[in-house]
Amino acid sequence: MSESMNYKWYLDLFSPHEGYMHGVKSIPFARQTQFQRMEIMETGSYGRCLVLDGKMQSSEFDEFIYHEALVHPAMLMHPDPKRVFIVGGGEGATLREVLKHPSVEFSLMVDIDQEVVEACKTYLPEMHAGAFDDPRIRLEYRDARAYLEQTSDVYDVIIIDISEPVEEGPAYLLYTKEFYEIVKRRLSDHGVIALQAGTTAVGKLLNYGAVTQTLRRVFPVVAPYHAEIPSFGMPWGFTLATKGSMDPRRVPPSQVDAAIAARVPAPLSYYDGETHAGMFCLPKHIRAYMKREDRIIEDNAPLFSFH
């Protein structure tokens, strides 16, 4: 009997016509929380994986790509990030990367789903690497949008690490123009935000294009970028936006490397100056799509990904 016959299989559907299969050795944890279906799977190729509502969120073996790509460009575009707000980020890996910057004096992580965070603390310790115990952080379980609407606090960097905008899920109102306007008000003068913005796969660019166009209605500098995340089975898009004038697309690799050397003493495995230049260099077909896309996501006209 071949090894593959001993596995059960998890199918991460991208559309009604396409998906990516993972061989699953075991499922150490599964639960329907108040907000979403959560599973932690032990896979043959990528180790332990967090899956929410049937969608791969991160894997033990390649999450460093996703989280370094999400966090460090934004952190380095701010001259001196002291206060950081994280929306979502249940695994704690986004928090882990933020805390690699000694300039950070305080980081608030707000995740709506306490059950996800608590399970990740127990079952995915390699991802948070003890970040939840750092004295610089505060963790709250509540609606991040409501919190930002009600607080008068200001942050230098806001990282939005949430699941895709599934219609019955908890995240779709965190992709709208109204939400990005709230975020902008909570940023300091040189404030920066970064977020995952959906896949950049051919034929599936609507979410990526619409998020970027929506941000352009709110922020003066918006820079979309992407990275290959093997466990996702497709390339993945991110977007960085800033209230200041710093544009990451104009920063040379040597300057990125110098900033990392000066500001990030902990080792990075994915992100450096050369990688930075490649991430922000979008292929021609994506650039052409972004010029055509005019969808603006609003509270009364949300965008939902396939589920």
Side-chain angles (χ1 to χ4, degrees):
M1 181 181 291
S2 68
E3 182 183 7
S4 64
M5 296 298 290
N6 295 322
Y7 285 124
K8 294 182 178 179
W9 293 90
Y10 151 58
L11 176 60
D12 186 0
L13 283 173
F14 307 151
S15 76
H17 319 290
E18 185 180 3
Y20 186 28
M21 293 182 71
H22 293 268
V24 179
K25 294 181 176 180
S26 65
I27 301 177
F29 185 88
R31 178 172 295 171
Q32 177 66 48
T33 76
Q34 179 183 351
F35 302 100
Q36 55 206 328
R37 176 67 181 172
M38 175 191 183
E39 295 161 295
I40 294 176
M41 301 180 181
E42 184 79 39
T43 65
S45 294
Y46 295 103
R48 288 199 172 183
C49 303
L50 174 63
V51 177
L52 297 178
D53 285 330
K55 307 295 290 184
M56 178 71 74
Q57 303 299 309
S58 58
S59 86
E60 180 183 351
F61 293 168
D62 71 357
E63 58 80 15
F64 72 94
I65 301 174
Y66 174 93
H67 290 105
E68 289 187 20
L70 175 66
V71 169
H72 295 294
M75 295 293 289
L76 293 175
M77 287 306 104
H78 191 281
D80 188 25
K82 288 181 167 55
R83 294 174 54 83
V84 180
F85 187 96
I86 298 171
V87 181
E91 312 97 315
T94 294
L95 181 62
R96 179 198 73 213
E97 294 302 316
V98 165
L99 296 175
K100 287 182 178 180
H101 292 254
S103 67
V104 174
E105 298 173 353
F106 174 72
S107 181
L108 174 60
M109 174 179 158
V110 176
D111 195 299
I112 199 170
D113 201 329
Q114 182 172 357
E115 291 180 85
V116 168
V117 176
E118 294 298 333
C120 289
K121 285 181 180 180
T122 300
Y123 292 96
L124 298 174
E126 297 85 1
M127 291 196 191
H128 60 76
F132 291 116
D133 298 322
D134 193 292
R136 293 175 289 170
I137 75 112
R138 190 169 90 232
L139 177 59
E140 295 201 14
Y141 302 111
R142 55 184 297 183
D143 183 295
R145 176 165 171 165
Y147 181 89
L148 288 170
E149 286 177 323
Q150 295 161 10
T151 187
S152 59
D153 294 345
V154 172
Y155 296 88
D156 300 312
V157 177
I158 295 179
I159 308 288
I160 304 172
D161 181 16
I162 55 177
S163 55
E164 294 175 83
V166 176
E167 187 165 1
E168 65 272 25
Y172 72 93
L173 287 177
L174 303 181
Y175 285 89
T176 68
K177 177 174 177 283
E178 291 86 348
F179 176 65
Y180 296 142
E181 289 169 341
I182 296 166
V183 168
K184 185 179 181 182
R185 291 196 294 271
R186 300 275 62 81
L187 285 171
S188 59
D189 288 344
H190 297 283
V192 183
I193 73 166
L195 58 145
Q196 73 87 9
T199 182
T200 56
V202 173
K204 299 177 178 64
L205 287 164
L206 174 59
N207 194 86
Y208 188 56
V211 166
T212 300
Q213 292 302 333
T214 303
L215 283 164
R216 284 174 175 160
R217 293 291 185 93
V218 180
F219 288 91
V221 176
V222 177
Y225 60 106
H226 68 159
E228 294 284 342
I229 316 293
S231 62
F232 288 7
M234 55 174 60
W236 210 254
F238 304 83
T239 304
L240 184 153
T242 176
K243 289 175 71 172
S245 59
M246 177 74 82
D247 190 330
R249 294 166 293 193
R250 298 194 178 99
V251 179
S254 60
Q255 187 174 330
V256 174
D257 286 333
I260 293 172
R263 295 170 51 178
V264 191
L268 302 182
S269 299
Y270 175 75
Y271 181 69
D272 65 1
E274 189 171 342
T275 302
H276 175 99
M279 290 195 309
F280 285 93
C281 186
L282 296 177
K284 181 178 180 180
H285 71 281
I286 296 179
R287 299 196 309 271
Y289 181 90
M290 302 294 262
K291 290 179 180 178
R292 298 193 305 269
E293 178 56 55
D294 59 0
R295 172 75 182 265
I296 304 300
I297 310 170
E298 297 178 306
D299 284 356
N300 61 1
L303 179 66
F304 300 116
S305 66
F306 166 76
H307 180 56

